[in-house]
Amino acid sequence: MIKNSFISVIQQKEKEENCGSVEFQVCNFTNKIRRLTLHLELHKKDFLSQRGLRIILGKRQRLLNYLSKKNGVRYKKLIGQLNIRKSKTR
């Protein structure tokens, strides 16, 4: 349900054209992160889910870093639509 709402809001046209786009992948990772976060609120000692969450967070962060370097406008638009905090630079 959450996945479908984000896809329809963000990439109605792009979903049909390009499912491998960075925005689409970040949207999918964000949905997985939100589901895992809700799961971990109920199951605090599920360490395998915690590990999976950290892996997905890293993948999303790498994609967001790539997008910010390639196209800052698309990055800011995506951050605003998904309500994600701006990534920290090293």
Side-chain angles (χ1 to χ4, degrees), residues 13-15 31 35-36 38 43 47-48 51 54 68 73 78 86 88:
K13 296 176 185 174
E14 286 188 19
K15 178 181 176 276
N31 292 330
R35 278 187 294 156
L36 279 173
L38 291 174
H43 309 282
F47 299 114
L48 290 176
R51 181 178 184 269
R54 279 189 243 115
S68 69
V73 175
L78 182 65
K86 187 176 179 181
K88 296 179 182 179

Side-chain angles (χ1 to χ4, degrees), residues 10-84:
I10 295 174
Q11 298 171 335
Q12 188 75 354
K13 296 176 185 174
E14 286 188 19
K15 178 181 176 276
E16 298 163 1
E17 296 172 5
N18 191 2
C19 290
S21 68
V22 176
E23 290 92 349
F24 185 82
Q25 292 178 40
V26 170
C27 179
N28 282 339
F29 285 141
T30 302
N31 292 330
K32 286 182 184 181
I33 289 167
R34 289 186 177 148
R35 278 187 294 156
L36 279 173
T37 304
L38 291 174
H39 171 77
L40 287 171
E41 287 176 359
L42 297 174
H43 309 282
K44 296 181 191 296
K45 293 191 177 186
D46 189 356
F47 299 114
L48 290 176
S49 293
Q50 288 178 8
R51 181 178 184 269
L53 178 63
R54 279 189 243 115
I55 290 170
I56 293 172
L57 282 168
K59 287 180 182 180
R60 183 179 77 172
Q61 189 61 44
R62 285 192 298 272
L63 281 171
L64 286 171
N65 286 338
Y66 168 78
L67 186 61
S68 69
K69 290 177 186 175
K70 291 294 179 182
N71 194 338
V73 175
R74 285 173 44 195
Y75 170 75
K76 289 180 181 179
K77 181 180 174 185
L78 182 65
I79 293 284
Q81 288 177 341
L82 293 177
N83 295 326
I84 303 173

